[in-house]
């Protein structure tokens, strides 16, 4: 099955401290595994995603916000500081009324909160 691995260097220059990488001048890897495994050791999609997410959080990495997450809101906010995000949302007319929060868009748990 396909494996996606793309290196990405975040140098941490410019912008507010809360949106800087936790570790400056380091290489991150955008990593994805697609498909299904028939091996008996495969724990299933959700449990495997949870293992990857906890590894990423423990190692001060970031999860791509283009993919679904199973992180709790607390873990999500530990990975992504929201101060500037919330400030921008509040400054734009009708933004909060018209558009869901990022967590509500990418999280199964978050989507259940708004239904």
């Amino acid at each position: 099955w396909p494996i996606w691995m793309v290196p990405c260097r975040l140098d941490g220059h410019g912008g507010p401290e809360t949106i800087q990488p936790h570790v400056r001048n380091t290489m991150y890897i955008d990593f994805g595994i697609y498909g299904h495994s028939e091996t008996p050791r495969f724990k299933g999609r959700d449990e495997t995603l949870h293992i990857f997410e906890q590894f990423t959080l423990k190692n001060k990495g970031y999860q791509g916000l283009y993919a679904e997450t199973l992180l709790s809101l607390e873990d999500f906010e530990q990975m992504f500081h929201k101060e500037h995000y919330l400030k921008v949302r509040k400054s734009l007319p009708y933004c909060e009324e018209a558009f869901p929060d990022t967590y509500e868009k990418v999280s199964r748990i978050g989507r259940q909160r708004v239904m």
Side-chain angles (χ1 to χ4, degrees), residues 31-61:
F31 187 78
I33 299 175
Y34 301 89
H36 179 76
S37 175
E38 297 297 328
T39 181
R41 296 183 326 205
F42 181 59
K43 298 181 180 192
R45 177 194 177 277
D46 286 0
E47 189 169 340
T48 303
L49 177 57
H50 179 72
I51 292 167
F52 272 88
E53 289 178 333
Q54 292 306 308
F55 174 88
T56 302
L57 192 61
K58 178 183 171 192
N59 290 281
K60 300 185 186 295

Side-chain angles (χ1 to χ4, degrees), residues 14-22 24 62 77-85:
E17 186 65 30
T18 56
I19 61 172
Q20 296 299 313
H22 295 290
R24 296 190 193 282
Y62 295 93
E77 289 179 348
Q78 182 181 341
M79 190 179 286
F80 300 101
H81 301 284
K82 293 179 70 172
E83 294 85 11
H84 295 283
Y85 170 75

Side-chain angles (χ1 to χ4, degrees), residues 7-111:
C8 173
R9 182 172 177 259
L10 301 176
D11 62 16
H13 295 295
E17 186 65 30
T18 56
I19 61 172
Q20 296 299 313
H22 295 290
V23 180
R24 296 190 193 282
N25 299 317
T26 193
M27 185 68 69
Y28 289 83
I29 304 293
D30 185 1
F31 187 78
I33 299 175
Y34 301 89
H36 179 76
S37 175
E38 297 297 328
T39 181
R41 296 183 326 205
F42 181 59
K43 298 181 180 192
R45 177 194 177 277
D46 286 0
E47 189 169 340
T48 303
L49 177 57
H50 179 72
I51 292 167
F52 272 88
E53 289 178 333
Q54 292 306 308
F55 174 88
T56 302
L57 192 61
K58 178 183 171 192
N59 290 281
K60 300 185 186 295
Y62 295 93
Q63 180 167 351
L65 294 178
Y66 51 79
E68 182 178 57
T69 182
L70 299 177
L71 288 170
S72 68
L73 178 60
E74 180 180 278
D75 285 347
F76 186 82
E77 289 179 348
Q78 182 181 341
M79 190 179 286
F80 300 101
H81 301 284
K82 293 179 70 172
E83 294 85 11
H84 295 283
Y85 170 75
L86 293 175
K87 183 178 178 181
V88 169
R89 278 182 61 90
K90 288 181 189 303
S91 73
L92 297 171
Y94 305 108
C95 182
E96 293 178 307
E97 296 84 5
F99 302 106
D101 180 272
T102 301
Y103 184 72
E104 294 165 351
K105 288 191 248 182
V106 298
S107 165
R108 189 181 305 165
I109 299 166
R111 286 191 299 274

